[in-house]
Amino acid sequence: MGRGAVIAGIGQTLFGKLPGRTTVSMNIEACRKAIADAGIEKGVIDSLLVKVPTSKVEMMYGQTLAEAMALKPRFGGVFDQGGASNISMIGIAAMAIEAGQCEVALVCLADNPKTGTRQAYEKPWGEAADLGWSSVVAGYAMIAQRYIHEFPDAEDLFAEIAIACRAHGAANPDAQLRLPLDRDTYDSAKWVVEPLRRDDCCLISDGAAAVVVMSEKLANVMGIAAPVPILGFGQGNSSSDVTLRRDLTQTQADISAQTAFKMAGLGPKDMDCAQLYDCFTVTVAMTLESYGFGSRAALTEVGRAGGFHSNGPLPINTAGGLLSETGMPGLQLVLEGVRQMRGTSTSQVRDATKCIVSNQGGIMHTHSTLILGQ
Amino acid sequence: MTGAVMTPAEVYRAALDERRLTFQRCTACGHSWMPASSECPECWSPGYEWETAKRGAIVVSWVTFHVAFDPRYKGKVPYNVALLDLYEGPRMVSNIINIPASEDIIGRQVTLIFEQDMGRALPRFLLQNPIMAGDKSVY
């Protein structure tokens, strides 16, 4: 199921600080550009799926957006798994199309924590709030500390992940942060929540992205110029708070990837590049391992040899990722996967025909995986 | 009782105010847990009893805040927050009072104490047998 779906178009806003824009406005701009990219008219859209913004959580946001776009979707609404929502909604759209619930779906995300509030990322947590327990970065730092305890070379792996993402961001004219990173700068940057340094942490960004999903058959009928086949998708949700997870360095990302690989009939060795949710460097390290790209030691060797760069054996986040392109929670990684399959990335991987994309949300509460082909 | 029904979170907090660190144990399956909740997260049974933690904990992980996201902690950075497994089973978040710099304390034992701070009695922990600089004999 879903194997017959394609991403027919992609659209995005500028990334960075976008004062004066609501998330509805940014969503509409991304959707307008996505249908223009697909070469289709608004009238054929019969499904709208949207991730709720972190900067302002409100009921019925999906209907608010549909109203602002004068759409009456047969199928749609908000699906909330934090950052994993994007890929999960693409999977839901593909399944809904397969089941005859709709034909052409828009999946979109807009957020503006930079000009709005970043409270979602910095708030105190529950009963331990009086003990100073607060912020998303601290949750990831708790995981990273355990990871470093288990694998003392972790700092090299984290640094090489950040350096590769930043190199790709520097090459991407649409990236919010175009400053390359070297190891000395990484090592000397100040701690945010130790053991995470400044350059381990993603950007805070305003912006939006959107994709158009339809069946491959319909894409042929409509003469879509550059459809990118969706080969597989999956989910895996750890769901419990990081403080309750028995093993801090194990999530359900492996389940998510296995589901997607099985659906695609492919494995990690078939992938030409990976766009991995890099809210923090430790997330990429854990995702690579969970997806079967190698042990921590093997990944560190790949990283030390420059292997995460677009000309290496395991290119990651070729538009810069959350660390460099935009901190927006996740859909931009799908857009870059589409560009790689079309051959239009600013850090194009030579002859790339398969790309895996990860999304995750909360503090590794949720995870979803997408495999794109050509 | 005054007649008002307390939530499990309120019962937990009231015990802390009396300098008792408590957790729940399921009367159906025996699972023990924190934070306080109305049902056992393992078997969903609503039957539980309160127990008092007495024996300390093991460090699972910890972090050091160099930025105070919570304005009440401005002026206190750097400060640590640790994830601890109580010997009785449940896992909780707290602070460790005497962490030596640049030392991996995962797996170390800590002992419960109460400190009056933030206008209440807060459960915090002391690292047992802190290792002196240069002393490797305990490894």
Side-chain angles (χ1 to χ4, degrees), chain A residues 122 124 127-135 137-138 141-142 145-146 149 191-195 242-248, chain B residues 12 16 34-35 60-67 69-70 72-73 79 81 83 85 91 93-95 104 106 118 120 122-124:
Chain A
E122 298 183 351
E127 173 59 35
D130 285 348
L131 297 158
W133 180 233
S134 59
S135 82
V137 55
M142 200 69 90
Q145 185 84 276
R146 185 79 199 187
H149 172 77
W191 301 112
V192 182
V193 178
E194 197 176 339
V242 63
T243 58
L244 297 174
R245 224 164 289 156
R246 296 321 297 181
D247 184 346
L248 289 189
Chain B
Y12 171 79
L16 283 184
M34 295 171 93
V60 177
S61 191
W62 91 104
V63 300
T64 307
F65 283 74
H66 292 262
V67 175
F69 299 105
D70 184 337
R72 298 177 301 167
Y73 271 79
Y79 71 92
V81 173
L83 197 52
D85 274 345
R91 180 168 286 185
V93 174
S94 185
N95 310 122
D104 183 355
I106 288 176
M118 299 282 165
R120 53 181 285 212
L122 288 175
R124 287 183 167 137

Short mmCIF file of all heavy atoms in Angstrom, two decimals, chain A residues 122 124 127-135 137-138 141-142 145-146 149 191-195 242-248, chain B residues 12 16 34-35 60-67 69-70 72-73 79 81 83 85 91 93-95 104 106 118 120 122-124:
data_model
loop_
_atom_site.label_atom_id
_atom_site.label_comp_id
_atom_site.label_asym_id
_atom_site.label_seq_id
_atom_site.Cartn_x
_atom_site.Cartn_y
_atom_site.Cartn_z
N GLU A 122 11.57 25.63 25.79
CA GLU A 122 12.29 26.05 26.98
C GLU A 122 11.53 25.85 28.29
O GLU A 122 12.03 26.15 29.35
CB GLU A 122 12.69 27.54 26.84
CG GLU A 122 13.63 27.77 25.67
CD GLU A 122 14.09 29.21 25.54
OE1 GLU A 122 13.56 30.08 26.26
OE2 GLU A 122 14.98 29.47 24.70
N PRO A 124 9.65 24.64 31.74
CA PRO A 124 9.98 23.72 32.83
C PRO A 124 9.11 22.47 32.74
O PRO A 124 8.01 22.50 32.21
CB PRO A 124 9.65 24.52 34.09
CG PRO A 124 9.43 25.92 33.65
CD PRO A 124 9.01 25.86 32.22
N GLU A 127 6.77 17.91 37.78
CA GLU A 127 7.06 17.90 39.21
C GLU A 127 8.49 18.36 39.50
O GLU A 127 8.77 18.90 40.56
CB GLU A 127 6.81 16.49 39.76
CG GLU A 127 7.20 16.25 41.19
CD GLU A 127 6.49 17.18 42.18
OE1 GLU A 127 5.31 17.51 41.95
OE2 GLU A 127 7.12 17.55 43.19
N ALA A 128 9.40 18.14 38.54
CA ALA A 128 10.81 18.48 38.77
C ALA A 128 11.14 19.92 38.38
O ALA A 128 12.31 20.30 38.40
CB ALA A 128 11.71 17.51 38.01
N ALA A 129 10.14 20.71 38.02
CA ALA A 129 10.39 22.09 37.58
C ALA A 129 11.14 22.89 38.65
O ALA A 129 12.05 23.66 38.35
CB ALA A 129 9.08 22.78 37.23
N ASP A 130 10.77 22.68 39.92
CA ASP A 130 11.44 23.42 41.00
C ASP A 130 12.89 23.01 41.19
O ASP A 130 13.65 23.69 41.87
CB ASP A 130 10.68 23.22 42.33
CG ASP A 130 9.39 24.03 42.38
OD1 ASP A 130 9.19 24.90 41.51
OD2 ASP A 130 8.58 23.77 43.30
N LEU A 131 13.27 21.88 40.58
CA LEU A 131 14.66 21.40 40.66
C LEU A 131 15.47 21.90 39.47
O LEU A 131 16.63 21.49 39.28
CB LEU A 131 14.69 19.87 40.73
CG LEU A 131 14.02 19.29 41.98
CD1 LEU A 131 13.60 17.85 41.76
CD2 LEU A 131 14.97 19.38 43.19
N GLY A 132 14.87 22.76 38.63
CA GLY A 132 15.59 23.34 37.51
C GLY A 132 15.49 22.53 36.23
O GLY A 132 16.20 22.80 35.27
N TRP A 133 14.62 21.53 36.22
CA TRP A 133 14.48 20.66 35.04
C TRP A 133 13.59 21.36 34.02
O TRP A 133 12.40 21.54 34.25
CB TRP A 133 13.90 19.31 35.47
CG TRP A 133 13.68 18.29 34.40
CD1 TRP A 133 12.53 17.62 34.14
CD2 TRP A 133 14.66 17.74 33.50
NE1 TRP A 133 12.70 16.71 33.12
CE2 TRP A 133 14.00 16.76 32.70
CE3 TRP A 133 16.02 18.00 33.25
CZ2 TRP A 133 14.67 16.05 31.69
CZ3 TRP A 133 16.67 17.29 32.26
CH2 TRP A 133 15.99 16.32 31.50
N SER A 134 14.19 21.75 32.91
CA SER A 134 13.45 22.52 31.90
C SER A 134 14.14 22.36 30.56
O SER A 134 15.32 21.98 30.50
CB SER A 134 13.43 24.00 32.29
OG SER A 134 14.76 24.49 32.40
N SER A 135 13.40 22.61 29.51
CA SER A 135 13.90 22.73 28.14
C SER A 135 14.06 21.39 27.41
O SER A 135 14.37 20.36 28.01
CB SER A 135 15.24 23.47 28.06
OG SER A 135 16.33 22.63 28.35
N VAL A 137 16.42 20.94 25.09
CA VAL A 137 17.86 20.66 24.95
C VAL A 137 18.37 19.85 26.14
O VAL A 137 19.21 18.95 25.97
CB VAL A 137 18.69 21.95 24.75
CG1 VAL A 137 18.45 22.96 25.82
CG2 VAL A 137 20.18 21.64 24.64
N ALA A 138 17.84 20.07 27.33
CA ALA A 138 18.29 19.32 28.50
C ALA A 138 17.90 17.85 28.39
O ALA A 138 18.64 16.96 28.83
CB ALA A 138 17.72 19.93 29.78
N ALA A 141 20.33 16.38 26.13
CA ALA A 141 21.64 16.32 26.82
C ALA A 141 21.70 15.11 27.74
O ALA A 141 22.75 14.46 27.87
CB ALA A 141 21.88 17.61 27.60
N MET A 142 20.55 14.79 28.37
CA MET A 142 20.49 13.62 29.26
C MET A 142 20.77 12.34 28.46
O MET A 142 21.48 11.44 28.93
CB MET A 142 19.12 13.57 29.92
CG MET A 142 19.03 12.75 31.18
SD MET A 142 19.93 13.46 32.60
CE MET A 142 18.69 14.50 33.37
N GLN A 145 24.58 12.40 27.33
CA GLN A 145 25.51 12.04 28.41
C GLN A 145 25.62 10.52 28.54
O GLN A 145 26.71 9.96 28.69
CB GLN A 145 25.02 12.63 29.73
CG GLN A 145 25.94 12.44 30.88
CD GLN A 145 27.02 13.52 30.92
OE1 GLN A 145 28.05 13.43 30.26
NE2 GLN A 145 26.77 14.56 31.67
N ARG A 146 24.48 9.87 28.47
CA ARG A 146 24.45 8.41 28.58
C ARG A 146 25.16 7.78 27.36
O ARG A 146 25.89 6.80 27.49
CB ARG A 146 22.99 7.95 28.67
CG ARG A 146 22.80 6.48 28.89
CD ARG A 146 23.02 6.09 30.36
NE ARG A 146 23.26 4.66 30.46
CZ ARG A 146 23.36 4.00 31.61
NH1 ARG A 146 23.24 4.64 32.77
NH2 ARG A 146 23.59 2.72 31.62
N HIS A 149 28.80 8.07 27.82
CA HIS A 149 29.22 7.09 28.83
C HIS A 149 29.40 5.71 28.19
O HIS A 149 30.36 5.00 28.48
CB HIS A 149 28.15 7.02 29.93
CG HIS A 149 28.36 5.93 30.94
ND1 HIS A 149 29.29 6.02 31.94
CD2 HIS A 149 27.77 4.72 31.08
CE1 HIS A 149 29.26 4.91 32.68
NE2 HIS A 149 28.34 4.11 32.17
N TRP A 191 29.04 25.67 26.21
CA TRP A 191 28.01 24.69 26.54
C TRP A 191 26.64 25.38 26.56
O TRP A 191 26.53 26.52 26.98
CB TRP A 191 28.24 24.09 27.92
CG TRP A 191 29.54 23.38 28.13
CD1 TRP A 191 30.56 23.79 28.93
CD2 TRP A 191 29.96 22.13 27.57
NE1 TRP A 191 31.59 22.88 28.91
CE2 TRP A 191 31.24 21.86 28.08
CE3 TRP A 191 29.37 21.22 26.69
CZ2 TRP A 191 31.95 20.70 27.74
CZ3 TRP A 191 30.07 20.07 26.35
CH2 TRP A 191 31.35 19.82 26.87
N VAL A 192 25.63 24.64 26.15
CA VAL A 192 24.25 25.08 26.40
C VAL A 192 23.78 24.32 27.63
O VAL A 192 23.69 24.87 28.72
CB VAL A 192 23.34 24.84 25.18
CG1 VAL A 192 21.93 25.36 25.46
CG2 VAL A 192 23.93 25.53 23.95
N VAL A 193 23.48 23.05 27.43
CA VAL A 193 23.32 22.14 28.56
C VAL A 193 24.34 21.02 28.33
O VAL A 193 24.23 20.26 27.38
CB VAL A 193 21.89 21.58 28.67
CG1 VAL A 193 21.79 20.61 29.84
CG2 VAL A 193 20.88 22.72 28.85
N GLU A 194 25.36 20.98 29.16
CA GLU A 194 26.45 20.03 29.02
C GLU A 194 25.91 18.61 29.14
O GLU A 194 25.12 18.37 30.06
CB GLU A 194 27.49 20.32 30.12
CG GLU A 194 28.83 19.73 29.92
CD GLU A 194 29.79 20.17 31.05
OE1 GLU A 194 29.51 21.21 31.70
OE2 GLU A 194 30.77 19.49 31.26
N PRO A 195 26.26 17.70 28.23
CA PRO A 195 27.36 17.71 27.27
C PRO A 195 27.02 18.22 25.85
O PRO A 195 27.73 17.84 24.92
CB PRO A 195 27.76 16.25 27.22
CG PRO A 195 26.47 15.52 27.36
CD PRO A 195 25.65 16.36 28.30
N VAL A 242 11.50 11.07 28.35
CA VAL A 242 12.89 10.63 28.39
C VAL A 242 13.27 10.17 29.79
O VAL A 242 14.04 9.22 29.97
CB VAL A 242 13.85 11.73 27.89
CG1 VAL A 242 13.81 12.97 28.76
CG2 VAL A 242 15.26 11.22 27.79
N THR A 243 12.69 10.80 30.81
CA THR A 243 13.04 10.45 32.19
C THR A 243 12.51 9.07 32.58
O THR A 243 12.91 8.52 33.60
CB THR A 243 12.49 11.49 33.18
OG1 THR A 243 11.07 11.57 33.01
CG2 THR A 243 13.10 12.85 32.93
N LEU A 244 11.58 8.52 31.79
CA LEU A 244 11.01 7.21 32.12
C LEU A 244 11.51 6.09 31.21
O LEU A 244 11.16 4.93 31.40
CB LEU A 244 9.48 7.28 32.03
CG LEU A 244 8.82 8.24 33.01
CD1 LEU A 244 7.33 8.34 32.74
CD2 LEU A 244 9.07 7.81 34.43
N ARG A 245 12.34 6.45 30.21
CA ARG A 245 12.78 5.46 29.25
C ARG A 245 13.85 4.59 29.87
O ARG A 245 14.88 5.09 30.32
CB ARG A 245 13.31 6.18 28.00
CG ARG A 245 12.84 5.56 26.71
CD ARG A 245 13.06 6.51 25.56
NE ARG A 245 12.14 7.64 25.61
CZ ARG A 245 12.38 8.83 25.04
NH1 ARG A 245 13.50 9.04 24.42
NH2 ARG A 245 11.48 9.78 25.11
N ARG A 246 13.64 3.29 29.91
CA ARG A 246 14.59 2.42 30.64
C ARG A 246 15.97 2.50 29.99
O ARG A 246 16.98 2.54 30.68
CB ARG A 246 14.09 0.97 30.65
CG ARG A 246 12.80 0.73 31.38
CD ARG A 246 12.63 1.51 32.67
NE ARG A 246 13.59 1.20 33.73
CZ ARG A 246 13.58 1.78 34.92
NH1 ARG A 246 12.67 2.71 35.22
NH2 ARG A 246 14.48 1.47 35.82
N ASP A 247 16.02 2.49 28.66
CA ASP A 247 17.30 2.61 27.96
C ASP A 247 17.30 3.94 27.21
O ASP A 247 16.59 4.10 26.23
CB ASP A 247 17.46 1.44 26.99
CG ASP A 247 18.83 1.44 26.31
OD1 ASP A 247 19.54 2.47 26.38
OD2 ASP A 247 19.18 0.42 25.69
N LEU A 248 18.11 4.87 27.69
CA LEU A 248 18.08 6.22 27.13
C LEU A 248 18.56 6.28 25.69
O LEU A 248 18.20 7.20 24.96
CB LEU A 248 18.95 7.17 27.97
CG LEU A 248 18.47 7.55 29.36
CD1 LEU A 248 19.36 8.65 29.92
CD2 LEU A 248 17.03 7.99 29.36
N TYR B 12 1.52 13.01 46.60
CA TYR B 12 2.99 12.95 46.48
C TYR B 12 3.61 14.22 47.02
O TYR B 12 4.54 14.20 47.82
CB TYR B 12 3.36 12.74 45.01
CG TYR B 12 4.83 12.86 44.71
CD1 TYR B 12 5.70 11.81 44.99
CD2 TYR B 12 5.35 14.03 44.13
CE1 TYR B 12 7.06 11.92 44.71
CE2 TYR B 12 6.70 14.14 43.84
CZ TYR B 12 7.56 13.09 44.14
OH TYR B 12 8.89 13.20 43.87
N LEU B 16 6.13 15.08 50.29
CA LEU B 16 7.40 15.81 50.16
C LEU B 16 7.46 16.96 51.17
O LEU B 16 8.50 17.22 51.78
CB LEU B 16 7.57 16.39 48.75
CG LEU B 16 7.97 15.44 47.62
CD1 LEU B 16 8.19 16.25 46.34
CD2 LEU B 16 9.24 14.66 47.96
N MET B 34 7.00 6.14 39.43
CA MET B 34 6.90 7.59 39.54
C MET B 34 6.80 8.10 38.11
O MET B 34 7.26 7.41 37.20
CB MET B 34 8.13 8.18 40.22
CG MET B 34 8.30 7.76 41.66
SD MET B 34 9.90 8.28 42.31
CE MET B 34 9.50 9.85 43.04
N PRO B 35 6.27 9.27 37.84
CA PRO B 35 5.57 10.17 38.75
C PRO B 35 4.17 9.65 39.09
O PRO B 35 3.69 8.69 38.48
CB PRO B 35 5.49 11.46 37.94
CG PRO B 35 5.46 11.01 36.51
CD PRO B 35 6.31 9.78 36.47
N VAL B 60 21.63 7.40 36.60
CA VAL B 60 21.42 6.89 35.23
C VAL B 60 22.08 7.84 34.23
O VAL B 60 22.71 7.41 33.26
CB VAL B 60 19.91 6.77 34.93
CG1 VAL B 60 19.68 6.33 33.48
CG2 VAL B 60 19.23 5.83 35.90
N SER B 61 21.91 9.14 34.44
CA SER B 61 22.54 10.16 33.61
C SER B 61 22.41 11.49 34.33
O SER B 61 21.68 11.60 35.32
CB SER B 61 21.87 10.22 32.23
OG SER B 61 22.64 11.01 31.34
N TRP B 62 23.13 12.49 33.83
CA TRP B 62 22.99 13.82 34.41
C TRP B 62 23.43 14.85 33.40
O TRP B 62 24.12 14.52 32.43
CB TRP B 62 23.78 13.95 35.71
CG TRP B 62 25.18 14.45 35.53
CD1 TRP B 62 25.66 15.70 35.79
CD2 TRP B 62 26.31 13.69 35.04
NE1 TRP B 62 27.02 15.77 35.48
CE2 TRP B 62 27.43 14.56 35.02
CE3 TRP B 62 26.47 12.38 34.61
CZ2 TRP B 62 28.69 14.14 34.59
CZ3 TRP B 62 27.72 11.96 34.16
CH2 TRP B 62 28.82 12.84 34.17
N VAL B 63 22.99 16.08 33.59
CA VAL B 63 23.37 17.18 32.69
C VAL B 63 23.73 18.39 33.54
O VAL B 63 23.36 18.49 34.71
CB VAL B 63 22.24 17.56 31.72
CG1 VAL B 63 21.86 16.37 30.85
CG2 VAL B 63 21.01 18.10 32.45
N THR B 64 24.47 19.31 32.93
CA THR B 64 24.81 20.56 33.60
C THR B 64 24.26 21.73 32.79
O THR B 64 24.65 21.92 31.64
CB THR B 64 26.33 20.71 33.76
OG1 THR B 64 26.84 19.53 34.40
CG2 THR B 64 26.67 21.94 34.59
N PHE B 65 23.36 22.47 33.39
CA PHE B 65 22.79 23.64 32.72
C PHE B 65 23.79 24.80 32.79
O PHE B 65 24.22 25.18 33.87
CB PHE B 65 21.49 24.08 33.43
CG PHE B 65 20.28 23.24 33.11
CD1 PHE B 65 20.14 21.97 33.63
CD2 PHE B 65 19.27 23.74 32.30
CE1 PHE B 65 19.02 21.19 33.34
CE2 PHE B 65 18.15 22.97 32.01
CZ PHE B 65 18.03 21.70 32.52
N HIS B 66 24.13 25.34 31.61
CA HIS B 66 24.94 26.56 31.55
C HIS B 66 24.08 27.75 31.14
O HIS B 66 24.57 28.86 31.03
CB HIS B 66 26.12 26.36 30.59
CG HIS B 66 27.12 25.37 31.10
ND1 HIS B 66 28.27 25.73 31.75
CD2 HIS B 66 27.11 24.01 31.11
CE1 HIS B 66 28.95 24.65 32.12
NE2 HIS B 66 28.26 23.59 31.74
N VAL B 67 22.81 27.47 30.85
CA VAL B 67 21.83 28.50 30.51
C VAL B 67 20.64 28.26 31.43
O VAL B 67 20.23 27.12 31.63
CB VAL B 67 21.38 28.37 29.04
CG1 VAL B 67 20.27 29.36 28.72
CG2 VAL B 67 22.55 28.55 28.09
N PHE B 69 17.03 28.44 31.55
CA PHE B 69 15.77 28.68 30.83
C PHE B 69 14.68 29.11 31.81
O PHE B 69 13.78 29.86 31.46
CB PHE B 69 15.35 27.41 30.09
CG PHE B 69 16.35 26.95 29.07
CD1 PHE B 69 17.17 25.85 29.30
CD2 PHE B 69 16.50 27.65 27.88
CE1 PHE B 69 18.10 25.45 28.37
CE2 PHE B 69 17.43 27.25 26.93
CZ PHE B 69 18.23 26.14 27.18
N ASP B 70 14.75 28.58 33.02
CA ASP B 70 13.83 28.95 34.08
C ASP B 70 14.42 30.16 34.81
O ASP B 70 15.50 30.06 35.40
CB ASP B 70 13.67 27.77 35.05
CG ASP B 70 12.64 28.04 36.13
OD1 ASP B 70 12.36 29.22 36.43
OD2 ASP B 70 12.13 27.05 36.69
N ARG B 72 14.03 31.49 37.49
CA ARG B 72 14.33 31.30 38.92
C ARG B 72 15.73 30.71 39.13
O ARG B 72 16.26 30.75 40.23
CB ARG B 72 13.29 30.37 39.56
CG ARG B 72 11.87 30.92 39.49
CD ARG B 72 10.89 29.93 40.07
NE ARG B 72 10.94 28.66 39.36
CZ ARG B 72 10.37 27.54 39.80
NH1 ARG B 72 9.73 27.52 40.96
NH2 ARG B 72 10.46 26.43 39.10
N TYR B 73 16.30 30.14 38.07
CA TYR B 73 17.62 29.54 38.18
C TYR B 73 18.73 30.45 37.64
O TYR B 73 19.89 30.07 37.59
CB TYR B 73 17.65 28.16 37.51
CG TYR B 73 17.26 27.08 38.50
CD1 TYR B 73 15.93 26.86 38.82
CD2 TYR B 73 18.22 26.33 39.15
CE1 TYR B 73 15.57 25.90 39.75
CE2 TYR B 73 17.88 25.37 40.09
CZ TYR B 73 16.55 25.15 40.38
OH TYR B 73 16.22 24.22 41.31
N TYR B 79 24.36 24.54 37.02
CA TYR B 79 23.76 23.62 37.99
C TYR B 79 23.40 22.32 37.29
O TYR B 79 23.26 22.29 36.07
CB TYR B 79 22.54 24.25 38.66
CG TYR B 79 21.33 24.39 37.76
CD1 TYR B 79 20.36 23.38 37.69
CD2 TYR B 79 21.14 25.53 36.97
CE1 TYR B 79 19.25 23.51 36.87
CE2 TYR B 79 20.03 25.66 36.15
CZ TYR B 79 19.09 24.64 36.10
OH TYR B 79 18.00 24.76 35.28
N VAL B 81 21.15 18.64 36.78
CA VAL B 81 19.93 17.87 36.98
C VAL B 81 20.28 16.43 36.62
O VAL B 81 20.96 16.19 35.61
CB VAL B 81 18.77 18.39 36.11
CG1 VAL B 81 17.56 17.47 36.21
CG2 VAL B 81 18.40 19.81 36.51
N LEU B 83 19.23 12.11 36.47
CA LEU B 83 18.20 11.07 36.34
C LEU B 83 18.65 9.92 37.23
O LEU B 83 19.78 9.43 37.08
CB LEU B 83 18.13 10.66 34.88
CG LEU B 83 16.93 9.89 34.37
CD1 LEU B 83 15.64 10.60 34.75
CD2 LEU B 83 17.04 9.77 32.85
N ASP B 85 17.74 6.18 39.41
CA ASP B 85 16.92 5.00 39.67
C ASP B 85 16.94 4.73 41.17
O ASP B 85 17.98 4.38 41.73
CB ASP B 85 17.47 3.77 38.94
CG ASP B 85 16.95 3.66 37.53
OD1 ASP B 85 15.97 4.36 37.20
OD2 ASP B 85 17.53 2.87 36.75
N ARG B 91 12.09 5.60 38.70
CA ARG B 91 13.10 6.53 38.19
C ARG B 91 12.61 7.95 38.44
O ARG B 91 11.42 8.24 38.26
CB ARG B 91 13.30 6.28 36.70
CG ARG B 91 14.32 7.17 36.06
CD ARG B 91 14.67 6.67 34.67
NE ARG B 91 15.51 5.47 34.74
CZ ARG B 91 16.05 4.87 33.68
NH1 ARG B 91 15.83 5.34 32.48
NH2 ARG B 91 16.82 3.81 33.81
N VAL B 93 13.77 12.45 38.60
CA VAL B 93 14.67 13.56 38.27
C VAL B 93 14.98 14.33 39.55
O VAL B 93 14.07 14.60 40.35
CB VAL B 93 13.99 14.51 37.26
CG1 VAL B 93 14.84 15.75 37.02
CG2 VAL B 93 13.72 13.79 35.94
N SER B 94 16.25 14.66 39.78
CA SER B 94 16.61 15.46 40.95
C SER B 94 17.94 16.16 40.70
O SER B 94 18.42 16.21 39.57
CB SER B 94 16.68 14.58 42.20
OG SER B 94 16.91 15.39 43.34
N ASN B 95 18.50 16.72 41.73
CA ASN B 95 19.82 17.36 41.66
C ASN B 95 20.79 16.57 42.55
O ASN B 95 20.38 16.03 43.58
CB ASN B 95 19.78 18.81 42.18
CG ASN B 95 18.69 19.64 41.57
OD1 ASN B 95 17.84 20.18 42.28
ND2 ASN B 95 18.67 19.75 40.26
N ASP B 104 32.77 11.24 35.23
CA ASP B 104 31.59 10.49 34.82
C ASP B 104 30.98 9.84 36.06
O ASP B 104 31.60 8.96 36.67
CB ASP B 104 31.99 9.42 33.79
CG ASP B 104 30.80 8.65 33.26
OD1 ASP B 104 29.66 8.86 33.75
OD2 ASP B 104 30.99 7.83 32.34
N ILE B 106 27.90 8.34 36.12
CA ILE B 106 26.88 7.34 35.80
C ILE B 106 27.20 6.03 36.51
O ILE B 106 28.35 5.57 36.48
CB ILE B 106 26.76 7.15 34.27
CG1 ILE B 106 26.09 8.39 33.67
CG2 ILE B 106 25.96 5.89 33.94
CD1 ILE B 106 26.00 8.40 32.15
N MET B 118 13.29 27.11 47.09
CA MET B 118 12.12 27.45 46.27
C MET B 118 10.84 27.44 47.14
O MET B 118 9.75 27.13 46.67
CB MET B 118 11.95 26.45 45.12
CG MET B 118 13.11 26.42 44.15
SD MET B 118 13.07 27.81 43.01
CE MET B 118 14.73 27.75 42.34
N ARG B 120 10.02 25.42 49.56
CA ARG B 120 9.48 24.09 49.91
C ARG B 120 10.63 23.15 50.23
O ARG B 120 11.80 23.50 50.05
CB ARG B 120 8.66 23.52 48.76
CG ARG B 120 9.39 23.52 47.44
CD ARG B 120 8.54 22.98 46.31
NE ARG B 120 8.42 21.53 46.39
CZ ARG B 120 8.31 20.74 45.30
NH1 ARG B 120 8.27 21.26 44.09
NH2 ARG B 120 8.19 19.44 45.43
N LEU B 122 12.76 20.25 49.09
CA LEU B 122 13.04 19.59 47.82
C LEU B 122 13.90 18.35 48.04
O LEU B 122 14.90 18.40 48.77
CB LEU B 122 13.77 20.54 46.87
CG LEU B 122 12.95 21.69 46.28
CD1 LEU B 122 13.84 22.60 45.47
CD2 LEU B 122 11.81 21.15 45.42
N PRO B 123 13.53 17.22 47.40
CA PRO B 123 14.35 16.01 47.52
C PRO B 123 15.57 16.11 46.62
O PRO B 123 15.46 16.23 45.41
CB PRO B 123 13.40 14.91 47.03
CG PRO B 123 12.47 15.59 46.08
CD PRO B 123 12.35 17.03 46.53
N ARG B 124 16.76 16.13 47.23
CA ARG B 124 18.00 16.15 46.47
C ARG B 124 18.89 15.01 46.93
O ARG B 124 18.55 14.31 47.89
CB ARG B 124 18.68 17.51 46.62
CG ARG B 124 17.94 18.60 45.84
CD ARG B 124 18.63 19.94 45.92
NE ARG B 124 18.06 20.85 44.94
CZ ARG B 124 17.77 22.14 45.16
NH1 ARG B 124 18.01 22.68 46.35
NH2 ARG B 124 17.25 22.88 44.21
#
